[in-house]
Amino acid sequence: GDSVTQMEGPVTLSEEAFLTINCTYTATGYPSLFWYVQYPGEGLQLLLKATKADDKGSNKGFEATYRKETTSFHLEKGSVQVSDSAVYFCALSGGRFGAGTRLTVKP
Amino acid sequence: KAGVTQTPRYLIKTRGQQVTLSCSPISGHRSVSWYQQTPGQGLQFLFEYFSETQRNKGNFPGRFSGRQFSNSRSEMNVSTLELGDSALYLCASNRIGIGSISGANVLTFGAGSRLTVL
């Protein structure tokens, strides 16, 4: 069945550091891919999405590119802020989520 | 527009009791899906309801059940609670159902109901 594998956390970075959170997937067909973010005490919210191969989703300085050849959708941000501290989930259409990666950014 | 509303936000139960959680989706959304979030297991899919019918089901025991009403509000019930049922229960709504591969298949989550079983 479809599945999502995410880089295990937690990840701790200093402010302005570069962030990469790896995500690979297994799926039949051509799913849409999503990154969701969960801030403390809240539910998940959509961060960005991509619907077909080579699409790049972007939002709030975060980017991810749909790579069909490597079945990956890695999340990147060039310069993280303390306010980016949260749990990040990679997901496929069909409601399949990765385990989540907790990011802590220190000032 | 109003978001997804889950009630109650926090509750404490003892082993053997049962609990009912409620989820009101965004107006116009016919799909409601439920997830269990725990530190050890991450986010696990429980089931999805679409237009009052269960369409997808995760790998949970029969103690976990749900239903959806004609106004799309959904409830989930857990009977004979166990310590391991302590978790954050999240519901999410969307317009077209989680089975669609469309990029429009974006889930809007509620803040969750945190259940503690003593």
Side-chain angles (χ1 to χ4, degrees), chain B residues 79-97:
Chain B
S79 62
T80 320
L81 285 166
E82 301 176 359
L83 295 179
D85 297 332
S86 295
L88 180 66
Y89 290 87
L90 294 164
C91 82
S93 76
N94 79 342
R95 191 171 45 82
I96 59 176

Side-chain angles (χ1 to χ4, degrees), chain B residues 95-109:
Chain B
R95 191 171 45 82
I96 59 176
I98 66 171
S100 170
I101 64 171
S102 165
N105 189 0
V106 174
L107 301 178
T108 302
F109 284 82

Side-chain angles (χ1 to χ4, degrees), chain A residues 7-8 19-20 29 43 51 54-55 59 63:
Chain A
M7 164 181 166
E8 287 191 23
L19 168 71
T20 299
T51 59
D54 300 324
D55 262 5
N59 186 26
E63 293 183 339

Side-chain angles (χ1 to χ4, degrees), chain A residues 1-71:
Chain A
D2 294 359
S3 67
V4 180
T5 302
Q6 252 183 269
M7 164 181 166
E8 287 191 23
V11 174
T12 302
L13 296 173
S14 297
E15 208 164 23
E16 299 184 2
F18 184 84
L19 168 71
T20 299
I21 300 178
N22 290 338
C23 171
T24 57
Y25 67 91
T26 302
T28 54
Y30 303 97
S32 293
L33 303 175
F34 306 84
W35 277 99
Y36 288 82
V37 59
Q38 183 181 34
Y39 298 104
E42 300 181 11
L44 281 69
Q45 58 185 270
L46 179 69
L47 179 60
L48 53 82
K49 68 178 182 179
T51 59
K52 61 183 187 297
D54 300 324
D55 262 5
K56 177 185 283 187
S58 61
N59 186 26
K60 299 181 180 179
F62 291 90
E63 293 183 339
T65 301
Y66 190 150
R67 300 288 187 199
K68 183 169 172 291
E69 64 277 11
T70 55
T71 60

Side-chain angles (χ1 to χ4, degrees), chain A residues 66-106:
Chain A
Y66 190 150
R67 300 288 187 199
K68 183 169 172 291
E69 64 277 11
T70 55
T71 60
S72 65
F73 193 53
H74 305 322
L75 182 69
E76 296 182 335
K77 186 174 185 182
S79 176
V80 293
Q81 305 300 312
V82 172
S83 57
D84 294 327
S85 297
V87 182
Y88 293 82
F89 292 88
C90 185
L92 302 178
S93 49
R96 191 72 63 177
F97 283 79
T101 302
R102 181 176 298 279
L103 169 67
T104 301
V105 180
K106 297 190 172 181

Side-chain angles (χ1 to χ4, degrees), chain B residues 9-103:
Chain B
R9 288 292 312 276
Y10 303 91
L11 64 167
I12 300 173
K13 295 285 187 178
T14 57
R15 279 182 299 174
Q17 287 188 309
Q18 74 164 19
V19 66
T20 299
L21 309 178
S22 178
C23 174
S24 293
I26 287 174
S27 178
H29 285 191
R30 292 190 291 164
S31 165
V32 174
S33 49
W34 289 89
Y35 293 84
Q36 181 194 66
Q37 186 178 16
T38 58
Q41 299 295 322
L43 198 63
Q44 293 191 286
F45 172 72
L46 281 154
F47 32 65
E48 180 204 14
Y49 285 86
F50 188 93
S51 294
E52 302 180 64
T53 302
Q54 187 182 87
R55 287 216 306 201
N56 294 285
K57 191 174 188 304
N59 189 26
F60 277 80
R63 300 186 297 107
F64 291 82
S65 63
R67 58 178 176 168
Q68 186 179 34
F69 302 95
S70 59
N71 63 357
S72 293
R73 189 177 71 85
S74 177
E75 290 181 347
M76 68 163 281
N77 183 276
V78 188
S79 62
T80 320
L81 285 166
E82 301 176 359
L83 295 179
D85 297 332
S86 295
L88 180 66
Y89 290 87
L90 294 164
C91 82
S93 76
N94 79 342
R95 191 171 45 82
I96 59 176
I98 66 171
S100 170
I101 64 171
S102 165

